[in-house]
Amino acid sequence: MKIVDASVVVTSPGRNFVTLRITTDDGVTGLGDATLNGRELAVVSYLRDHVAPLLIGLDPHRIEDTWQLLYRGAYWRRGPVTMAAIAAVDVALWDIKAKVANLPLYQLLGGASRDRVRTYGHANGRDLPELFDSVRERMAQGYQSIRIQTGVPGLKRVYGVHGEPEVTPDGHPRPLVEDWDTGAYLRHMPTVFEAVRNEFGPDLPLLHDSHHRLTPIQAARLGKDLEPYDLFWLEDCTPAENQEGLRLVRSKTTTPLAIGEVFNTIHDFRTLVNEQLIDYVRAAVTHFGGVSPLKKLFDFAAQQQIKSAIHGPEDISPVGMAAAIHLDLAIHNFGIQEYAGYTPATEDVFRHAFTFEDGHLHPGEAPGIGVELDDDLAAAHPYAPAYLPVNRLADGTVHDW
């Protein structure tokens, strides 16, 4: 069996997705997610101009060898563009291998370690009444664990409570500008969780994302202040690149910590795992080089009793989500899966076998990853330039978003 084609499909059924399709001489196809939110076309070029020509003629079953070729062979290693491209190839090859075996991917990863995959959903609100309504909506959808994000008094737009996208005078999109005041946030969040606990009781698992906006000492304060509300975790409490800073946070609070959605390789996690500075690793299949390296990371983390928590926002396509669910089902040290769901248009473009019921996912039993791309519907949703927001302090200084 040989690879005879590697093509890239860009579609925007509500938001932009980049999909790689690899085809063999036997007519077997595999899909991989290469979406990099706000920088999609950089990955498209990397795949079309640099990766696809290398794949033609290769044996699709040699997944590990191909991964090493694309990682080591480029010399310029790591980074989100490179790793998203490699991830798409890796997942597409696993999709092909599992289809040839006529098995769902999780069976090739060791089989199921559980019956279903626990998820958490997102609840957002500008104020407490709106937040409570959002929590109730998520609970009605079946979610049994919920992330809490809310507005901060005195701030117009913050992470999790978005305004409308901005455009230039000629109609080109520009990043939405959010505003930030760390002191106001630190004073407000304990009152939010006190109110949520009073409203929904002690048993509902609650999560919160600080989204890299705090220094280590500020993160330590927040973790300590939130201890009475028994969080499932505090996510990205300080910029993840500052691994040593987590030593301070860890020493000051018992609130569980989750980090890693902006990481691209296992090297980014080395200090955090070896020193047990976090409780959950948050890397995504799509941005971490695929199923192959992410399973290795989870095996590494398991030695320090650290669990998985694969990143799964709306900009991970159903292709990347399906691969994540297969991995979730197979590994032993699974923790929880982020799942925000998809628009009907996205589900029409990406027909998938995975299901969501009672707050849990299952990848289904279709051979491969269980996702098929409808090319005609994909073409009906052309690429639309879009950016992630940026964050500024009151004096205009750019802050971590």
Side-chain angles (χ1 to χ4, degrees):
M1 183 178 283
K2 300 294 183 184
I3 296 172
V4 296
D5 186 63
S7 60
V8 182
V9 177
V10 183
T11 183
S12 185
R15 65 190 312 148
N16 294 315
F17 299 113
V18 179
T19 307
L20 174 69
R21 178 189 281 119
I22 294 178
T23 305
T24 73
D25 54 358
D26 288 348
V28 182
T29 61
L31 299 179
D33 180 19
T35 307
L36 185 61
N37 198 344
R39 297 294 184 269
E40 297 90 354
L41 298 186
V43 189
V44 171
S45 174
Y46 194 97
L47 282 169
R48 284 178 175 165
D49 299 333
H50 304 289
V51 172
L54 298 177
L55 299 177
I56 306 304
L58 297 184
D59 180 352
H61 287 302
R62 297 183 62 167
I63 299 175
E64 179 68 18
D65 182 66
T66 300
W67 196 97
Q68 298 294 344
L69 171 68
L70 297 178
Y71 180 78
R72 299 177 186 275
Y75 184 71
W76 310 107
R77 304 177 185 180
R78 306 167 70 180
V81 173
T82 295
M83 300 311 290
I86 294 176
V89 175
D90 184 79
V91 171
L93 294 183
W94 276 112
D95 193 19
I96 289 171
K97 184 180 284 287
K99 285 178 178 176
V100 171
N102 198 32
L103 291 169
L105 175 58
Y106 75 83
Q107 294 287 14
L108 273 62
L109 301 176
S113 289
R114 56 198 45 81
D115 298 326
R116 54 185 185 163
V117 171
R118 179 185 189 181
T119 71
Y120 71 89
H122 300 168
N124 309 304
R126 290 169 293 181
D127 52 27
L128 288 177
E130 191 170 283
L131 175 63
F132 290 174
D133 287 344
S134 183
V135 172
R136 293 188 186 98
E137 182 179 355
R138 297 296 163 265
M139 294 175 71
Q141 292 169 345
Y143 286 103
Q144 300 175 27
S145 304
I146 299 177
R147 192 189 77 174
I148 301 296
Q149 306 296 141
T150 185
V152 176
L155 301 182
K156 295 180 180 179
R157 294 178 291 198
V158 299
Y159 174 76
V161 186
H162 297 300
E164 292 298 319
E166 299 183 1
V167 295
T168 62
D170 62 358
H172 190 80
R174 68 194 328 164
L176 175 71
V177 179
E178 298 179 354
D179 51 345
W180 187 246
D181 182 322
T182 301
Y185 168 77
L186 291 175
R187 291 188 296 271
H188 184 58
M189 289 316 300
T191 70
V192 170
F193 278 90
E194 180 181 25
V196 172
R197 279 287 177 229
N198 288 339
E199 182 72 16
F200 296 98
D203 297 328
L204 179 65
L206 301 177
L207 305 86
H208 179 63
D209 186 0
S210 290
H211 222 252
H212 322 280
R213 291 168 295 181
L214 305 178
T215 65
I217 194 66
Q218 292 165 347
R221 170 185 163 183
L222 179 62
K224 189 71 174 177
D225 288 347
L226 294 180
E227 284 178 10
Y229 312 110
D230 189 26
L231 268 63
F232 187 95
W233 78 39
L234 176 61
E235 179 185 340
D236 289 336
C237 60
T238 195
E241 301 94 324
N242 182 13
Q243 296 187 44
E244 293 79 5
L246 270 294
R247 293 172 182 152
L248 173 61
V249 182
R250 191 61 140 184
S251 70
K252 300 299 182 183
T253 180
T254 58
T255 295
L257 303 174
I259 271 185
E261 67 186 49
V262 299
F263 287 167
N264 305 127
T265 72
I266 198 167
H267 304 292
D268 300 312
F269 283 101
R270 185 177 297 158
T271 298
L272 300 178
V273 171
N274 282 335
E275 298 187 25
Q276 295 180 290
L277 299 180
I278 58 174
D279 302 277
Y280 298 90
V281 290
R282 291 269 298 134
V285 172
T286 301
H287 304 136
F288 201 75
V291 167
S292 299
L294 196 52
K295 187 176 187 302
K296 293 174 185 177
L297 170 65
F298 292 152
D299 290 341
F300 171 47
Q303 310 313 307
Q304 300 293 353
Q305 299 177 291
I306 297 171
K307 294 185 176 182
S308 75
I310 297 177
H311 185 47
E314 299 95 326
D315 54 277
I316 300 294
S317 88
V319 174
M321 179 59 65
I325 300 167
H326 281 279
L327 190 53
D328 290 330
L329 198 70
I331 60 172
H332 178 259
N333 58 324
F334 170 74
I336 200 167
Q337 172 66 54
E338 181 179 21
Y339 182 66
Y342 295 102
T343 65
T346 298
E347 301 219 337
D348 288 341
V349 172
F350 298 93
R351 299 189 301 273
H352 57 77
F354 67 78
T355 56
F356 176 75
E357 184 177 1
D358 294 331
H360 290 77
L361 289 161
H362 192 280
E365 300 299 330
I369 63 171
V371 181
E372 297 299 330
L373 176 66
D374 188 313
D375 289 278
D376 291 336
L377 287 178
H381 300 282
Y383 170 78
Y387 297 94
L388 288 170
V390 298
N391 205 14
R392 290 185 182 272
L393 303 180
D395 67 357
T397 302
V398 173
H399 191 63
D400 291 299
W401 180 69

